[in-house]
Amino acid sequence: MTHGENGTPAAPATATGTGTGTAPGRPPTALFALAWLWVGVPMAYGLYELLLKAVQLFTGG
């Protein structure tokens, strides 16, 4: 077992093994954008519908 400078165990080396060329632990940019769209588009639609209903509620229309 190797130790760091202050006597604590050194962190094990990690590798992704994916061959994508990204840093270890960092998801690909396309996947990150797709995840945001997956959540953001329905949320934006829901907020739009909420605003329409709020206008109807407060204007009596």
Side-chain angles (χ1 to χ4, degrees):
M1 176 181 343
T2 60
H3 293 282
E5 292 178 8
N6 60 359
T8 59
T14 58
T16 59
T18 59
T20 59
T22 59
R26 183 176 176 197
T29 305
L31 180 63
F32 192 70
L34 182 64
W36 270 105
L37 287 173
W38 186 263
V39 173
V41 170
M43 187 171 121
Y45 177 72
L47 288 174
Y48 172 73
E49 289 292 324
L50 175 68
L51 289 174
L52 289 179
K53 299 290 182 182
V55 168
Q56 288 178 357
L57 178 65
F58 290 110
T59 60

